Amino acid sequence: MTNFKIKDINEMTIDELIGQVIMIGLPSYNLDSDYKKFIEEYKIGNYILFARNYKDTKQMQTFMKDLYEHAQNVTGSFPLVSIDQEGGMVVRLFKDVTFPASPLTTSATSVENASYITGSIIAKDMLKFGINLNLAPCLEINQDLSYPLVNVRGYGATKEIVLNNATKFVRGLQDSGVLSCIKHFPGDGSSTKDSHLELPIIDDAKENLINYNMYPFFNLLESSALMTSHCIYKSFDEYPSTLSKILLTDVLRKEVGFKGLIISDGMEMKAILDHYGLVDGTIMALNAGCDLLLLCHDYEYQKIALDTVKEAVLDGRISIELLKEKVERINKAKYKVIEHLKKNFNNNDYIINEEEHNIMQNIVDNSFTKILGNVPTLKEKTLILSSTTKVASIVEDEFDNYNLTKTLKNNFSEYDIIEFEKEESFKNKILNIIDNYENIIIYSYDACYNKTQLDTINEILKLDKEVYVISLKGPIDQKLFNNLKNYSCLYEYTPNSIKTVVKQLNKEIDLNGKLPK
């Protein structure tokens, strides 16, 4: 596909203008007849993809070719197509592509410029499918690396580390032709509530927010887009950032001078639905300063939002001038990627770049971080306890194509390797056999969410045994373990980190990573 069009705003109908300010999710692996009709009826111009839309590279190229052609025929413009390809545990393209390292991995690794390299590799993979907007990176600051909602999705514990690595990632994406979207403005790293499920309220003083939470956003204005947070920041406004004209227009646009797209977080999230409703929330978000509203999952909500905007434009609650201003920004964003799409989208069958795959593996290998004591070492009688993945938040995806326990058993069949179980009886099962072993190597994962895992590890640590604990999701659980003597961590549970574990046990790599704090 080489013919990419962008329709001038002055040639657009009201329906076409409205279709450009809504970005919808699609339900499956292809563009079915129902959604084709929906797109035709509402002139929908932009899309967000999830893991549910991705089967393999061949399917995705066909799907995206169909979507581009249909959307362009209906609206006169090619679509913005976005995904959350942050790296690590939050990825939507995960099979037959270079699996990208997590943000915290790229901060912790000893490989120079890892964040830029990761952004560039992600962009190249995205463009081959026509995906032109990455809803990344996260700019939340993870103070003391202790906030579970940020954890490995963030770049580190200080505003300087976050800004430095996020800037490199943004440049890696945009130099390679994909739009970046920094999120979630104005920064909700300290929140203990998930806005997918409830409405977080942040009480920090205004000066604190400006000098700390907002610092990375105010210093990364080169990003093509920014996503809002659904948190309320009481020192600024009584409304969530997504609905706050004070934050989005007065502060972000006028005072700070941000020129890029402002994109809402998902409008179906409970923080909006339960407290403001979709109708009022949609109108408030557009009038507050959002250019694009995300409607990710539900056809009925998507339809309500589109109908709401049209009614509000017709009765004057949203001005046509404001609508055109938003679409003009959207068009400017599309012009930034058009030449890159012409060169890269659907030109050839997708083939994994082996060199880039090896580069990414090297980034993860060199992120392995020793925090306390000695590195894990196999002895003649070693017991290995292994973890499996479990989604800890709604944005993470579960993948069925990798498993640490299975890989360890395939590579170290002479050792006893046991996977953690959920039942409380698991703890006694392990304690009853532990005297048979010289040492114990434990691979923990989200022990803060798993009582059986946490209790079992702490009971083992009470014993007069040589015990190594390795966290697969950063050092967030360290403070929960008692009597730790040997502790190290990786920053993701992915195909790459599983290979890293095997390499370390085989003494093929050293632990060269450093905590980003």
Side-chain angles (χ1 to χ4, degrees), residues 171-220:
R171 289 175 181 170
L173 284 174
Q174 296 191 159
D175 287 353
S176 296
V178 165
L179 306 172
S180 69
C181 179
I182 53 180
K183 62 186 184 183
H184 305 78
F185 177 79
D188 52 2
S190 61
S191 175
T192 58
K193 293 182 177 180
D194 187 342
S195 54
H196 289 87
L197 306 173
E198 53 191 324
L199 177 61
I201 298 174
I202 292 177
D203 288 317
D204 294 11
K206 184 179 290 190
E207 185 177 353
N208 231 24
L209 289 168
I210 291 170
N211 294 328
Y212 187 71
N213 297 57
M214 296 181 177
Y215 176 87
F217 292 94
F218 290 170
N219 288 279
L220 193 36

Side-chain angles (χ1 to χ4, degrees), residues 273-403:
L273 279 188
D274 289 356
H275 297 271
Y276 306 94
L278 186 57
V279 171
D280 288 345
T282 295
I283 297 169
M284 291 174 70
L286 290 172
N287 280 327
C290 289
D291 299 308
L292 267 170
L293 303 187
L294 285 183
L295 281 299
C296 300
H297 304 294
D298 189 286
Y299 165 79
E300 290 300 328
Y301 287 145
Q302 293 166 355
K303 188 175 183 303
I304 288 168
L306 287 155
D307 288 338
T308 294
V309 179
K310 185 163 187 179
E311 290 172 12
V313 171
L314 292 177
D315 67 19
R317 285 175 292 166
I318 297 174
S319 72
I320 192 71
E321 290 77 21
L322 184 65
L323 200 61
K324 286 184 175 182
E325 181 184 314
K326 296 176 187 304
V327 179
E328 183 63 29
R329 276 196 206 97
I330 292 166
N331 278 357
K332 285 180 181 178
K334 291 181 180 182
Y335 276 113
K336 289 182 182 180
V337 300
I338 193 167
E339 292 304 319
H340 296 278
L341 287 168
K342 287 178 181 178
K343 291 177 186 176
N344 295 287
F345 177 31
N346 254 329
N347 289 336
N348 299 294
D349 289 337
Y350 188 93
I351 299 172
I352 291 180
N353 185 311
E354 200 61 37
E355 181 183 357
E356 291 179 351
H357 176 78
N358 292 334
I359 288 169
M360 196 61 65
Q361 183 64 55
N362 190 46
I363 287 171
V364 178
D365 288 348
N366 284 283
S367 73
F368 209 155
T369 305
K370 185 184 77 170
I371 299 171
L372 286 174
N374 299 312
V375 301
T377 305
L378 289 169
K379 294 189 174 181
E380 188 174 343
K381 293 286 288 180
T382 295
L383 172 64
I384 301 176
L385 298 182
S386 174
S387 301
T388 188
T389 54
K390 181 180 182 299
V391 168
S393 75
I394 289 171
V395 295
E396 293 181 7
D397 281 308
E398 287 183 341
F399 312 105
D400 60 5
N401 65 333
Y402 58 89
N403 180 285

Side-chain angles (χ1 to χ4, degrees), residues 81-92:
V81 182
S82 70
I83 53 172
D84 298 277
Q85 194 75 353
E86 298 173 14
M89 305 306 296
V90 182
V91 294
R92 311 308 186 209

Side-chain angles (χ1 to χ4, degrees), residues 19-212:
Q20 288 295 319
V21 301
I22 303 292
M23 178 172 273
I24 69 164
L26 297 164
S28 62
Y29 293 140
N30 54 50
L31 191 59
D32 63 30
S33 58
D34 288 340
Y35 261 84
K36 280 189 174 181
K37 290 176 184 175
F38 183 38
I39 293 166
E40 289 167 12
E41 181 181 357
Y42 284 94
K43 313 300 181 190
I44 299 166
N46 304 293
Y47 303 88
I48 179 171
L49 304 180
F50 293 89
R52 66 175 182 256
N53 302 118
Y54 183 68
K55 186 177 181 181
D56 55 44
T57 54
K58 187 174 182 180
Q59 163 268 329
M60 180 58 83
Q61 284 186 316
T62 300
F63 181 20
M64 287 298 97
K65 185 171 181 291
D66 290 346
L67 181 60
Y68 263 74
E69 288 180 353
H70 189 65
Q72 188 159 280
N73 287 339
V74 168
T75 68
S77 295
F78 74 86
L80 288 178
V81 182
S82 70
I83 53 172
D84 298 277
Q85 194 75 353
E86 298 173 14
M89 305 306 296
V90 182
V91 294
R92 311 308 186 209
L93 306 176
F94 51 87
K95 188 188 296 182
D96 302 328
V97 297
T98 300
F99 203 111
S102 78
L104 207 55
T105 292
T106 62
S107 292
T109 188
S110 59
V111 174
E112 192 174 347
N113 225 17
S115 300
Y116 181 92
I117 293 166
T118 301
S120 178
I121 290 174
I122 286 174
K124 291 172 187 175
D125 279 342
M126 288 174 60
L127 277 175
K128 289 172 183 176
F129 303 117
I131 305 169
N132 48 46
L133 168 59
N134 193 0
L135 302 176
C138 291
L139 265 58
E140 276 79 13
I141 303 163
N142 188 1
Q143 189 173 11
D144 299 322
L145 301 179
S146 63
Y147 292 137
L149 289 179
V150 181
N151 202 4
V152 297
R153 295 180 69 195
Y155 285 99
T158 70
K159 62 185 184 181
E160 292 83 8
I161 288 173
V162 171
L163 176 61
N164 179 42
N165 285 281
T167 299
K168 291 176 182 176
F169 183 82
V170 165
R171 289 175 181 170
L173 284 174
Q174 296 191 159
D175 287 353
S176 296
V178 165
L179 306 172
S180 69
C181 179
I182 53 180
K183 62 186 184 183
H184 305 78
F185 177 79
D188 52 2
S190 61
S191 175
T192 58
K193 293 182 177 180
D194 187 342
S195 54
H196 289 87
L197 306 173
E198 53 191 324
L199 177 61
I201 298 174
I202 292 177
D203 288 317
D204 294 11
K206 184 179 290 190
E207 185 177 353
N208 231 24
L209 289 168
I210 291 170
N211 294 328
Y212 187 71

